[in-house]
Amino acid sequence: MDGTHRRAGTLLGTVGLALAAAGPVMLVRARGGRKEIRAELAAQKITFPERGLPAGLEPYAGRPVRTGTDAHAYAEFINGNVARATGGRTYAEITAELHAAGGEDERLSELRRTAFMGQSLRASLMSAYQAWHLTTLVAGLGAALTGLGVALVATADALEPRSP
């Protein structure tokens, strides 16, 4: 084996070791992220109501919100409730109406508070849902990097000259 092949083998081995070391770190971080999301959702003690859920959310009846998928479903539940309460208007639209009315309309002020609280809660739950997906991505990348690292180390090993 000439010097170029030896350097290539050394480079492949070094990169492979780095990737094989980085992959498990990513897996551990993903698991820690999931654990943190679960703990925060559990601390909020959010539970779907037993009855009155819209079509598609019935399987969640009575269940606590524990995962990103649960958080997404509850965010959709909140979204429906806010839309019904506000007639489909957003916080920004109600605020514009309130300002147009001179800012003194108590009914619009209360409706704006309702929209703000509902949309804020929904946004928080959607953040948990997005973080849940990020932990899935990090875990997948960690597994892929580990596999790639091992393959590169094996390739580098195969390039090493063998004694007869």
Side-chain angles (χ1 to χ4, degrees):
M1 177 188 260
D2 64 23
T4 301
H5 284 102
R6 183 167 284 128
R7 284 191 300 274
T10 301
L11 179 61
L12 281 175
T14 303
V15 170
L17 286 173
L19 293 176
V25 170
M26 292 176 79
L27 289 166
V28 167
R29 296 296 298 173
R31 184 175 177 179
R34 281 273 169 108
K35 185 177 178 182
E36 190 173 334
I37 294 165
R38 284 181 186 274
E40 184 56 36
L41 289 172
Q44 296 304 315
K45 298 181 179 152
I46 303 168
T47 302
F48 286 90
E50 293 284 342
R51 293 176 216 61
L53 289 172
L57 294 180
E58 296 97 344
Y60 291 95
R63 285 181 32 190
V65 174
R66 292 187 175 141
T67 68
T69 305
D70 295 343
H72 182 261
Y74 204 88
E76 291 308 308
F77 175 61
I78 288 172
N79 193 44
N81 288 339
V82 170
R84 276 189 300 285
T86 64
R89 295 171 296 183
T90 66
Y91 171 82
E93 291 169 325
I94 295 167
T95 299
E97 287 178 43
L98 181 61
H99 289 306
E104 298 298 323
D105 187 317
E106 186 57 39
R107 184 188 63 79
L108 283 176
S109 292
E110 184 59 35
L111 198 55
R112 184 172 76 158
R113 278 190 290 278
T114 298
F116 178 78
M117 288 189 310
Q119 290 172 352
S120 295
L121 290 170
R122 182 175 188 274
S124 293
L125 288 165
M126 290 302 289
S127 292
Y129 175 64
Q130 292 165 349
W132 191 264
H133 278 295
L134 283 174
T135 62
T136 302
L137 176 65
V138 170
L141 288 172
L145 289 181
T146 301
L148 180 59
V150 169
L152 288 176
V153 168
T155 302
D157 186 56
L159 292 175
E160 286 294 314
R162 302 284 182 235
S163 303

